[in-house]
Amino acid sequence: MTLAYIGVGSNLEREKHIQAAYQELHKIGSVRASCVYECQPIGFDSHAFYNMVFELVTELSLVELQRRLKEIELRWGRAANAQKFQDRTLDLDILLFGDAVSSSDPIVPRHDIFTYEFVAKPLLELCPDYIIPSDGRSIRQVWQSLESKGTLTLVAFTFNTKNHD
């Protein structure tokens, strides 16, 4: 079993797609959710995103988990040729995968941890003392090193826990 952290983002039918991510990840393993945050898009003008992180305990390998996440994204309407700075129905990124360090796709630890509040803040909720492989700092230390821009708004969101098996 591996403890993984999955970053989730959506700015199209946000509630529907965040809930879908929860339901789909329950099929892969045991899930625990951070709070959901609203944040303006970075790098392009569009609708605000909902962002969060799921803690996932899974038996899948890193490569198999990546494959399954891509399948989920496509099933929920993400374009196969989606670019970095555009609208998303569902974006699922492996942020951390146990103590794995990978410099090829999927890259873990994912650099977004050190860059974006919408990634670091939910991780801080779930695993503040987690030591990031190859970095040596805890999530709390990374959060403290980020220059807070106050771009996150907490969203009142309750997951429907029925029908996830």
Side-chain angles (χ1 to χ4, degrees):
M1 299 299 264
T2 302
L3 184 62
Y5 291 89
I6 311 299
V8 181
S10 175
N11 76 332
L12 299 174
E13 298 182 86
R14 302 176 302 182
E15 295 85 1
K16 171 185 169 181
H17 291 111
I18 294 290
Q19 180 65 43
Y22 178 78
Q23 302 292 356
E24 294 280 359
L25 289 175
H26 263 285
K27 297 174 185 174
I28 295 173
S30 174
V31 175
R32 190 167 68 110
S34 74
C35 291
V36 176
Y37 294 92
E38 185 175 66
C39 151
Q40 293 305 309
I42 296 172
F44 68 107
D45 290 325
S46 192
H47 313 289
F49 276 81
Y50 276 1
N51 293 100
M52 62 164 310
V53 171
F54 285 114
E55 180 181 86
L56 174 70
V57 178
T58 184
E59 293 181 0
L60 297 177
S61 69
L62 176 59
V63 171
E64 181 63 14
L65 178 58
Q66 174 78 354
R67 186 185 68 74
R68 293 281 294 271
L69 295 180
K70 293 301 169 200
E71 288 174 359
I72 293 167
E73 289 175 342
L74 294 173
R75 186 168 38 253
W76 286 95
R78 180 166 174 170
N81 61 349
Q83 302 300 307
K84 184 167 177 75
F85 297 112
Q86 70 181 63
D87 293 327
R88 296 271 192 267
T89 53
L90 188 56
D91 188 26
L92 301 170
D93 296 316
I94 302 171
L95 304 171
L96 295 161
F97 189 81
D99 60 1
V101 175
S102 172
S103 57
S104 61
D105 193 31
I107 296 171
V108 290
R110 190 171 176 95
H111 191 264
D112 294 355
I113 296 168
F114 309 101
T115 308
Y116 299 117
E117 287 180 280
F118 65 81
V119 174
K121 177 69 170 176
L123 277 173
L124 180 69
E125 292 174 26
L126 293 173
C127 57
D129 299 318
Y130 190 105
I131 302 299
I132 301 167
S134 80
D135 183 78
R137 291 181 291 168
S138 69
I139 296 296
R140 183 185 325 277
Q141 289 170 316
V142 169
W143 173 254
Q144 290 168 344
S145 72
L146 280 175
E147 184 178 320
S148 179
K149 297 173 183 68
T151 59
L152 302 178
T153 303
L154 185 61
V155 174
F157 193 95
T158 303
F159 288 97
N160 176 0
T161 59
K162 295 178 183 175
N163 302 320
H164 64 67
D165 293 323

